[in-house]
Short mmCIF file of all heavy atoms in Angstrom, two decimals:
data_model
loop_
_atom_site.label_atom_id
_atom_site.label_comp_id
_atom_site.label_asym_id
_atom_site.label_seq_id
_atom_site.Cartn_x
_atom_site.Cartn_y
_atom_site.Cartn_z
N ILE A 30 3.01 -12.46 -2.68
CA ILE A 30 3.55 -12.80 -4.00
C ILE A 30 4.66 -11.82 -4.35
O ILE A 30 4.71 -10.70 -3.85
CB ILE A 30 2.45 -12.86 -5.09
CG1 ILE A 30 1.75 -11.50 -5.26
CG2 ILE A 30 1.45 -13.95 -4.77
CD1 ILE A 30 0.78 -11.48 -6.44
N GLU A 32 7.69 -10.06 -7.09
CA GLU A 32 7.92 -9.49 -8.41
C GLU A 32 8.14 -10.62 -9.41
O GLU A 32 8.88 -11.57 -9.13
CB GLU A 32 9.17 -8.59 -8.36
CG GLU A 32 9.40 -7.83 -9.62
CD GLU A 32 10.86 -7.40 -9.78
OE1 GLU A 32 11.66 -7.60 -8.87
OE2 GLU A 32 11.16 -6.88 -10.85
N ASP A 34 5.46 -12.24 -10.56
CA ASP A 34 4.10 -12.79 -10.60
C ASP A 34 3.21 -11.81 -11.37
O ASP A 34 3.13 -10.63 -11.02
CB ASP A 34 3.59 -12.95 -9.16
CG ASP A 34 2.29 -13.73 -9.11
OD1 ASP A 34 1.37 -13.41 -9.90
OD2 ASP A 34 2.19 -14.65 -8.29
N PRO A 35 2.56 -12.29 -12.43
CA PRO A 35 1.76 -11.36 -13.25
C PRO A 35 0.64 -10.67 -12.49
O PRO A 35 0.21 -9.58 -12.88
CB PRO A 35 1.21 -12.25 -14.38
CG PRO A 35 1.46 -13.66 -13.95
CD PRO A 35 2.57 -13.65 -12.95
N VAL A 44 -13.59 -2.53 -4.63
CA VAL A 44 -14.37 -3.29 -3.66
C VAL A 44 -15.82 -2.84 -3.79
O VAL A 44 -16.10 -1.64 -3.80
CB VAL A 44 -13.85 -3.03 -2.23
CG1 VAL A 44 -14.79 -3.63 -1.19
CG2 VAL A 44 -12.44 -3.57 -2.07
N LYS A 46 -18.52 -4.84 -2.14
CA LYS A 46 -19.27 -5.28 -0.95
C LYS A 46 -18.41 -5.11 0.29
O LYS A 46 -17.30 -5.64 0.35
CB LYS A 46 -19.67 -6.74 -1.10
CG LYS A 46 -20.72 -6.97 -2.15
CD LYS A 46 -21.10 -8.43 -2.20
CE LYS A 46 -22.02 -8.71 -3.37
NZ LYS A 46 -22.07 -10.13 -3.70
N PHE A 47 -18.97 -4.38 1.25
CA PHE A 47 -18.25 -4.16 2.51
C PHE A 47 -18.74 -5.20 3.51
O PHE A 47 -19.46 -4.90 4.45
CB PHE A 47 -18.49 -2.72 2.97
CG PHE A 47 -17.89 -1.72 2.02
CD1 PHE A 47 -18.55 -1.36 0.85
CD2 PHE A 47 -16.65 -1.17 2.28
CE1 PHE A 47 -17.97 -0.46 -0.04
CE2 PHE A 47 -16.07 -0.27 1.40
CZ PHE A 47 -16.73 0.08 0.23
N LEU A 58 -4.53 -8.97 6.10
CA LEU A 58 -3.46 -8.05 5.67
C LEU A 58 -2.72 -7.54 6.91
O LEU A 58 -1.49 -7.47 6.93
CB LEU A 58 -4.04 -6.87 4.88
CG LEU A 58 -4.48 -7.16 3.44
CD1 LEU A 58 -5.19 -5.94 2.85
CD2 LEU A 58 -3.31 -7.55 2.54
N ASP A 60 -2.51 -8.94 9.95
CA ASP A 60 -1.72 -10.04 10.53
C ASP A 60 -0.45 -10.28 9.74
O ASP A 60 0.63 -10.51 10.30
CB ASP A 60 -2.53 -11.35 10.52
CG ASP A 60 -3.56 -11.38 11.63
OD1 ASP A 60 -3.55 -10.47 12.47
OD2 ASP A 60 -4.38 -12.32 11.63
N ALA A 81 -7.86 -2.43 -2.09
CA ALA A 81 -7.80 -2.26 -0.64
C ALA A 81 -6.35 -2.35 -0.20
O ALA A 81 -5.60 -3.22 -0.67
CB ALA A 81 -8.62 -3.35 0.06
N GLU A 85 0.39 1.30 8.09
CA GLU A 85 0.64 1.46 9.52
C GLU A 85 1.91 2.29 9.65
O GLU A 85 2.99 1.83 9.30
CB GLU A 85 0.81 0.10 10.17
CG GLU A 85 0.82 0.19 11.67
CD GLU A 85 0.58 -1.17 12.30
OE1 GLU A 85 1.29 -2.13 11.93
OE2 GLU A 85 -0.32 -1.28 13.13
N TYR A 86 1.74 3.50 10.10
CA TYR A 86 2.88 4.41 10.13
C TYR A 86 2.87 5.16 11.46
O TYR A 86 1.90 5.83 11.79
CB TYR A 86 2.80 5.39 8.96
CG TYR A 86 4.01 6.28 8.86
CD1 TYR A 86 5.23 5.77 8.43
CD2 TYR A 86 3.94 7.61 9.23
CE1 TYR A 86 6.34 6.57 8.37
CE2 TYR A 86 5.05 8.42 9.16
CZ TYR A 86 6.25 7.90 8.73
OH TYR A 86 7.36 8.69 8.67
N VAL A 97 -8.63 7.08 -3.61
CA VAL A 97 -8.45 7.93 -4.80
C VAL A 97 -7.64 9.14 -4.39
O VAL A 97 -7.92 9.77 -3.37
CB VAL A 97 -9.83 8.40 -5.36
CG1 VAL A 97 -9.63 9.39 -6.52
CG2 VAL A 97 -10.65 7.22 -5.81
N LEU A 98 -6.65 9.48 -5.19
CA LEU A 98 -5.84 10.67 -4.94
C LEU A 98 -6.60 11.90 -5.42
O LEU A 98 -6.98 11.99 -6.59
CB LEU A 98 -4.51 10.54 -5.69
CG LEU A 98 -3.50 11.68 -5.49
CD1 LEU A 98 -3.04 11.77 -4.05
CD2 LEU A 98 -2.31 11.49 -6.44
N LEU A 112 7.75 -5.32 0.11
CA LEU A 112 7.72 -6.70 0.58
C LEU A 112 7.63 -7.69 -0.59
O LEU A 112 7.92 -8.87 -0.41
CB LEU A 112 6.54 -6.89 1.53
CG LEU A 112 6.64 -6.02 2.80
CD1 LEU A 112 5.31 -5.98 3.54
CD2 LEU A 112 7.74 -6.52 3.71
N VAL A 114 9.37 -7.15 -3.41
CA VAL A 114 10.58 -6.95 -4.24
C VAL A 114 11.86 -7.30 -3.49
O VAL A 114 12.49 -6.56 -3.16
CB VAL A 114 10.68 -5.49 -4.75
CG1 VAL A 114 11.93 -5.27 -5.60
CG2 VAL A 114 9.46 -5.12 -5.57
N GLY A 119 15.20 1.63 -3.30
CA GLY A 119 15.50 2.61 -4.33
C GLY A 119 15.00 3.98 -3.93
O GLY A 119 14.12 4.10 -3.07
N VAL A 121 12.91 7.13 -4.77
CA VAL A 121 11.73 7.40 -5.59
C VAL A 121 11.25 8.82 -5.34
O VAL A 121 11.24 9.28 -4.18
CB VAL A 121 10.58 6.41 -5.25
CG1 VAL A 121 9.36 6.65 -6.13
CG2 VAL A 121 11.05 4.97 -5.37
N LEU A 141 -8.43 12.08 3.81
CA LEU A 141 -7.22 12.01 4.62
C LEU A 141 -6.13 12.85 3.97
O LEU A 141 -5.90 12.75 2.77
CB LEU A 141 -6.76 10.54 4.69
CG LEU A 141 -5.43 10.27 5.38
CD1 LEU A 141 -5.48 10.64 6.86
CD2 LEU A 141 -5.06 8.79 5.23
N GLY A 145 4.98 13.92 3.77
CA GLY A 145 6.26 13.27 4.06
C GLY A 145 6.22 11.77 3.83
O GLY A 145 5.58 11.30 2.89
N HIS A 153 2.74 4.54 -2.33
CA HIS A 153 3.37 3.28 -2.71
C HIS A 153 2.32 2.16 -2.75
O HIS A 153 2.24 1.39 -3.71
CB HIS A 153 4.50 2.95 -1.71
CG HIS A 153 5.14 1.62 -1.91
ND1 HIS A 153 6.46 1.47 -2.25
CD2 HIS A 153 4.64 0.35 -1.79
CE1 HIS A 153 6.74 0.18 -2.36
NE2 HIS A 153 5.65 -0.52 -2.06
N ASP A 165 9.63 0.63 -10.82
CA ASP A 165 9.29 1.27 -12.10
C ASP A 165 9.61 2.76 -12.07
O ASP A 165 9.77 3.38 -13.10
CB ASP A 165 7.78 1.14 -12.40
CG ASP A 165 7.30 -0.30 -12.33
OD1 ASP A 165 8.13 -1.22 -12.43
OD2 ASP A 165 6.08 -0.51 -12.16
N LYS A 166 9.61 3.32 -10.86
CA LYS A 166 9.71 4.76 -10.71
C LYS A 166 11.03 5.21 -10.12
O LYS A 166 11.30 6.40 -10.08
CB LYS A 166 8.62 5.25 -9.74
CG LYS A 166 7.21 5.05 -10.23
CD LYS A 166 6.22 5.63 -9.22
CE LYS A 166 4.87 5.84 -9.87
NZ LYS A 166 3.91 6.47 -8.96
N ASP A 172 21.48 -1.00 -3.22
CA ASP A 172 21.66 -2.43 -2.98
C ASP A 172 21.80 -2.65 -1.48
O ASP A 172 22.68 -2.08 -0.84
CB ASP A 172 22.91 -2.92 -3.72
CG ASP A 172 22.90 -4.43 -3.84
OD1 ASP A 172 22.44 -5.10 -2.90
OD2 ASP A 172 23.34 -4.94 -4.89
N ARG A 177 22.12 -4.92 6.83
CA ARG A 177 21.17 -5.58 7.74
C ARG A 177 21.51 -7.03 8.01
O ARG A 177 20.77 -7.93 7.73
CB ARG A 177 19.76 -5.45 7.19
CG ARG A 177 19.28 -4.03 7.27
CD ARG A 177 17.81 -3.90 6.95
NE ARG A 177 17.50 -4.39 5.62
CZ ARG A 177 16.29 -4.71 5.20
NH1 ARG A 177 15.29 -4.65 6.00
NH2 ARG A 177 16.07 -5.11 3.97
#
Side-chain angles (χ1 to χ4, degrees):
I30 61 173
E32 187 203 354
D34 190 312
V44 170
K46 290 182 187 162
F47 295 81
L58 285 173
D60 283 352
E85 190 163 52
Y86 185 72
V97 175
L98 183 64
L112 298 166
V114 179
V121 182
L141 174 64
H153 174 116
D165 307 340
K166 296 183 162 183
D172 197 324
R177 290 190 301 162

